[in-house]
Amino acid sequence: MISFVADRHRPTPADPHPGIVDEFGRLESELRTLPPELGCGALAVMEGRTFMYSDAVGDIPKGSVGGLVHADTRYLDEWVLTINDARLLGMGSHLAEHFHALFFLTNPPLPGLPADAIDVRRERAIGHGVGECVEVTNHTDQAIRLTVRLAVGSDFADLFEIKERVRDRSAQIRHEHAPDGSGLCLRYRNDIFAVRTEVQAVPAADRLDGDVLVWDLDLPVHGKWKCDLWVPLPSGDDEIAPPQRRPGSATGGSRDPVIEWRDNLARCRSDSHHIERVMEQTARDLTALRIMMRVGDKDVMLPAAGLPWFLTLFGRDTIITAYQTLLFGPALAKGALITLADYQGTGCSDLHDEEPGKILHEVRTGELTQLGLRPHNPYYGTADATPLWLILLSEYWRWTLDDELVRQLYGNAMAALDWIDHYGDRDGDGFVEYQTRSREGLGNQCWRDSWDGVLYADGGMPPLPIATCEIQGYVYDAKIRMAELADGPLDNPALARRLRGEAEHLRERFNERFWLDARGGYYALGLDGDKRPIDAMTSDMGHLLWSGIVPEDRAGVVVDQLMSDQLFSGWGVRTMATTDAGYNPIGYHRGTVWPHDNSIIAAGMTRYGYRDHARLLAQAMTDAATYFDERLPEAICGYPRADTGVPVAYPTACSPQAWSSCAALLFKRTMLGVEPRDGQLTVDPDIPESWGHTELLGLKAFGTRWDIEAVGRTGQVRRAT
């Protein structure tokens, strides 16, 4: 077992710049939580890059982590409705659609007003702005007087601050009140950053008490009162605004274009109603997480990463989600490829970790980023997004035979390959390493990007730079795939020969350096800054199966390790083995089970012919979705299934998280054995018995639609009629 005593003068993922204090201090342990801080039943409406997170009665209490957030800025940090100065009691709330919520409320016992004397219905819809309708009904046998108050506030916090600590901007916020009570406006400016929150009310408030709208009501027996509220939101230059939605029309009358898009996706039918519901929830989540953007003269759509913290363009997350969703059609993959190519690095910037040809990690547009205090416009601190972009380009082409887009992106692809060979391989040893140069940068720049996501088996912290194993697998696969494109639409056989030779050389050297004979044989998580193995046993081995870099004679050993008690929890493969000192069943990357990770592992197992193991993994994960309203969360705690009986969600898991919700699609593809080949779809199913007869109808590929049906190991594919 490798042992390392940390030298405080050497950079590590936990302290990439020894001796330099980060004024924003962002250790995972210091981040605030959502939704637990808002209590049980916290609920969010969302659309594109906008969400409004409230408690179960629809309120956003001042000082909470909730709010109305648009384009990384919080426009409302207070939105509290009271009747006679008392907060309301929840009877139930739910999402009718991702953008449309209903709250059913009543009153507690109050002086002169018995409990449950009134009911209050709040209906909220989000799109290009937020609309809310409040309706109060008197259920007593006498007229009543009520004072309805809506407290409004905004701290205009940057999303990064909401997660950490919020700077007090109150002295810089201007408060403007409409003389007729029809609304109010809060304005904030700091240098080039200027925002405002406007609240419009119909009927107008009887008075404004500071930033509180107040209505004095006389409700007759069984009388009703209704108020419509509207909070408009701005649009960015490259953002295509979503529909403007008002309560009452959010689900009625004319068809919503977002719902129409969802209803046009491939449909799943199965003898298992559970599988049907999982696929339906996946479609809903994917619809909710779509971002519409304008790139040059093209309008594109692509998936955001997840609610609440990641409603933006990411590199790794967006690419993997787009790959998973090819069963739903190629549009999201095309949008991701075009948009990420548009942002591809062109120069060197220490602040942004930018290098020529590099694919970004994350884009932000809040105040801290606009003023240059954070490097996210965009930030490039990821070592895996660049080879993953090449993999997605290849996979998109396999599903579409879109030669034109491949040729259009040829320059971007060659720049990405050049980044891998010259900037990604920092020391010329043939492996891609990472080490941030930015004082605001990420210490770990692989998918395990928490500060303690990469550890030795004894729990020690490795020094930077680090070359993790799965990134080498991605590079291998990217070069093999790019060779295929060079032989095909790029018509460059010399490039194809070179790339295949480089890939084979990488495969040989990788298997020499990363394979460990200890513990029955497994792949090290990575190589540290001294080129020593980082000997933790992790789920990343499964990504190596997906990429094809594992020799046939080692594949069975890897599969057995992944499905051993130390890694397989019964719900899925853990991120770290229970036998490693760093293991923690609720550690973000140190023992939890990630659905997207497992979907890649199952696909890798199938690639090497281990269908029984892949089927067990797919069934375990889809079983887990039963306990989360048919949606797989970002991560599940690593407790053994035999001990808990039910899966336990990671305490602050994002939900929906794109690559977790869409893991169900990759599991589905793996079980159906769907592969695009030369303009045709092939199927080689291995359907779990509990799924029974399964169909996927209206799948888009090669410019047409296809229907697939399968049961057990028998299946067929045909052009849809």
Side-chain angles (χ1 to χ4, degrees):
M1 180 177 293
I2 302 295
S3 181
F4 172 71
V5 179
D7 179 345
R8 63 186 179 88
H9 298 294
R10 296 194 68 180
T12 68
D15 186 12
H17 302 287
I20 298 176
V21 177
D22 175 10
E23 66 173 293
F24 293 103
R26 295 188 299 276
L27 287 184
E28 179 184 328
S29 60
E30 297 176 358
L31 299 186
R32 302 174 71 187
T33 60
L34 182 72
E37 192 174 292
L38 289 171
C40 182
L43 186 148
V45 287
M46 61 182 294
E47 179 69 78
R49 298 196 60 207
T50 307
F51 69 89
M52 186 169 178
Y53 229 127
S54 69
D55 64 18
V57 299
D59 286 342
I60 303 167
K62 192 74 173 178
S64 79
V65 77
L68 169 62
V69 176
H70 170 70
D72 304 323
T73 297
R74 182 157 61 182
Y75 283 76
L76 288 171
D77 77 324
E78 183 177 22
W79 186 262
V80 176
L81 184 70
T82 60
I83 302 285
N84 293 356
D85 295 323
R87 291 192 63 195
L88 296 160
L89 303 177
M91 297 187 293
S93 60
H94 73 278
L95 288 175
E97 293 285 352
H98 62 271
F99 54 77
H100 180 211
L102 298 166
F103 304 85
F104 301 95
L105 318 170
T106 189
N107 64 287
L110 298 169
L113 192 68
D116 306 330
I118 60 173
D119 72 43
V120 179
R121 174 184 167 125
R122 302 174 79 169
E123 184 179 2
R124 181 175 297 158
I126 197 167
H128 189 38
V130 177
E132 181 163 325
C133 176
V134 178
E135 186 176 280
V136 181
T137 303
N138 175 11
H139 288 296
T140 70
D141 57 4
Q142 56 187 338
I144 57 176
R145 299 210 67 187
L146 299 174
T147 299
V148 177
R149 297 168 64 91
L150 178 67
V152 177
S154 179
D155 58 3
F156 295 108
D158 189 286
L159 186 75
F160 288 116
E161 295 179 301
I162 301 172
K163 296 164 64 176
E164 298 154 16
R165 56 181 179 269
V166 177
R167 177 171 63 84
D168 184 4
R169 296 169 173 80
S170 57
Q172 298 165 273
I173 296 175
R174 290 170 48 197
H175 301 251
E176 302 172 358
H177 298 159
D180 62 356
S182 61
L184 57 84
C185 184
L186 307 175
R187 297 179 185 271
Y188 170 73
R189 174 180 287 275
N190 182 9
D191 195 19
I192 63 171
F193 182 77
V195 287
R196 70 175 190 173
T197 297
E198 183 180 356
V199 179
Q200 304 165 6
V202 179
D206 294 306
R207 63 185 186 279
L208 272 75
D209 182 6
D211 293 333
V212 181
L213 290 86
V214 185
W215 295 267
D216 297 312
L217 308 183
D218 288 298
L219 277 186
V221 177
H222 303 307
K224 292 180 182 291
W225 173 82
K226 188 171 84 167
C227 180
D228 290 310
L229 303 157
W230 177 248
V231 183
L233 292 169
S235 295
D237 293 339
D238 60 351
E239 178 186 357
I240 300 172
Q244 190 176 100
R245 300 189 179 97
R246 301 275 184 163
S249 62
T251 58
S254 61
R255 293 286 289 166
D256 189 293
V258 175
I259 297 176
E260 287 188 342
W261 180 84
R262 183 189 70 205
D263 291 347
N264 199 37
L265 299 175
R267 305 183 312 281
C268 173
R269 292 178 183 169
S270 174
D271 291 343
S272 167
H273 296 308
H274 164 59
I275 294 301
E276 287 185 345
R277 290 192 298 268
V278 169
M279 295 292 287
E280 171 62 21
Q281 187 60 53
T282 297
R284 287 177 173 273
D285 290 345
L286 188 61
T287 306
L289 291 167
R290 287 189 324 154
I291 299 175
M292 301 296 297
M293 296 185 67
R294 186 164 291 112
V295 180
D297 60 352
K298 297 182 177 67
D299 292 345
V300 300
M301 60 179 171
L302 60 153
L307 178 76
W309 306 127
F310 307 116
L311 289 179
T312 188
L313 172 64
F314 269 72
R316 172 194 316 119
D317 300 53
T318 296
I319 291 168
I320 290 178
T321 301
Y323 181 97
Q324 292 170 324
T325 58
L326 281 162
L327 277 190
F328 273 170
L332 293 173
K334 183 176 183 178
L337 288 165
I338 292 172
T339 307
L340 290 169
D342 190 59
Y343 279 99
Q344 189 174 29
T346 56
C348 290
S349 167
D350 287 355
L351 173 64
H352 300 94
D353 276 336
E354 180 184 3
E355 291 156 342
K358 197 175 188 183
I359 299 297
L360 62 80
H361 171 65
E362 178 180 1
V363 176
R364 295 293 183 179
T365 53
E367 178 184 6
L368 297 180
T369 299
Q370 289 194 33
L371 297 182
L373 299 174
R374 289 290 175 93
H376 294 82
N377 62 332
Y379 176 58
Y380 290 85
T382 178
D384 54 8
T386 305
L388 285 170
W389 184 89
L390 293 168
I391 290 169
L392 182 63
L393 177 63
S394 160
E395 193 68 12
Y396 167 81
W397 178 78
R398 290 179 180 180
W399 281 83
T400 62
L401 297 183
D402 186 349
D403 294 355
E404 181 181 353
L405 185 66
V406 172
R407 295 187 188 114
Q408 175 188 326
L409 297 176
Y410 171 73
N412 302 97
M414 294 306 295
L417 288 168
D418 189 65
W419 178 86
I420 288 170
D421 293 338
H422 296 99
Y423 294 95
D425 183 4
R426 302 165 60 92
D427 54 11
D429 69 343
F431 301 126
V432 171
E433 303 92 4
Y434 59 77
Q435 180 175 359
T436 183
R437 305 188 309 279
S438 174
R439 292 188 181 184
E440 300 297 320
L442 288 170
N444 278 316
Q445 299 191 354
C446 56
W447 86 266
R448 314 165 72 90
D449 59 3
S450 56
W451 66 273
D452 60 351
V454 176
L455 300 173
Y456 295 111
D458 68 359
M461 181 76 63
L464 293 165
I466 288 171
T468 58
C469 66
E470 81 288 352
I471 294 177
Q472 319 315 314
Y474 301 159
V475 170
Y476 169 80
D477 193 23
K479 291 195 172 187
I480 292 292
R481 287 169 173 268
M482 281 303 300
E484 179 185 14
L485 294 180
D487 276 336
L490 298 179
D491 191 23
N492 191 338
L495 175 63
R497 287 192 298 273
R498 175 172 71 82
L499 290 174
R500 287 195 178 96
E502 291 173 357
E504 185 56 34
H505 181 63
L506 171 60
R507 191 172 192 258
E508 291 173 0
R509 294 199 68 250
F510 173 81
N511 280 282
E512 290 172 2
R513 297 295 304 278
F514 280 75
W515 182 256
L516 301 177
D517 290 322
R519 295 199 267 183
Y522 67 106
Y523 284 98
L525 173 55
L527 301 181
D528 68 13
D530 296 318
K531 301 302 177 184
R532 296 181 303 177
I534 303 170
D535 59 341
M537 183 181 288
T538 69
S539 60
D540 293 42
M541 290 187 291
H543 294 232
L544 303 177
L545 297 172
W546 179 60
S547 69
I549 200 171
V550 178
E552 292 286 345
D553 60 350
R554 285 180 177 168
V557 177
V558 172
V559 170
D560 287 343
Q561 294 281 27
L562 291 167
M563 300 305 289
S564 67
D565 289 344
Q566 59 189 329
L567 278 173
F568 183 61
S569 74
W571 298 112
V573 176
R574 300 179 178 95
T575 46
M576 181 175 284
T578 58
T579 48
D580 284 4
Y583 168 74
N584 179 350
I586 53 175
Y588 196 52
H589 294 113
R590 291 168 42 200
T592 49
V593 173
W594 287 60
H596 93 275
D597 187 28
N598 278 261
S599 71
I600 290 171
I601 293 169
M605 290 175 172
T606 295
R607 176 173 186 157
Y608 281 84
Y610 292 89
R611 306 295 298 273
D612 292 347
H613 300 78
R615 185 176 65 250
L616 175 60
L617 197 53
Q619 189 158 7
M621 287 255 72
T622 50
D623 284 351
T626 306
Y627 299 90
F628 304 110
D629 296 325
E630 317 300 344
R631 169 195 291 153
L632 287 166
E634 179 184 15
I636 298 169
C637 294
Y639 303 119
R641 184 171 183 169
D643 290 354
T644 62
V646 298
V648 179
Y650 179 75
T652 57
C654 291
S655 185
Q657 181 87 339
W659 65 3
S660 295
S661 290
C662 294
L665 284 169
L666 188 50
F667 283 127
K668 183 81 171 179
R669 174 181 171 180
T670 299
M671 294 300 95
L672 287 171
V674 181
E675 290 297 332
R677 300 182 190 277
D678 302 322
Q680 296 289 323
L681 289 181
T682 64
V683 293
D684 181 19
D686 190 2
I687 303 296
E689 184 177 351
S690 62
W691 293 15
H693 183 267
T694 295
E695 293 179 305
L696 193 64
L697 306 176
L699 184 156
K700 297 178 183 176
F702 317 115
T704 189
R705 286 186 176 268
W706 307 77
D707 293 339
I708 297 172
E709 61 176 318
V711 59
R713 296 188 175 180
T714 302
Q716 61 176 330
V717 58
R718 60 184 179 275
R719 290 181 185 270
T721 55

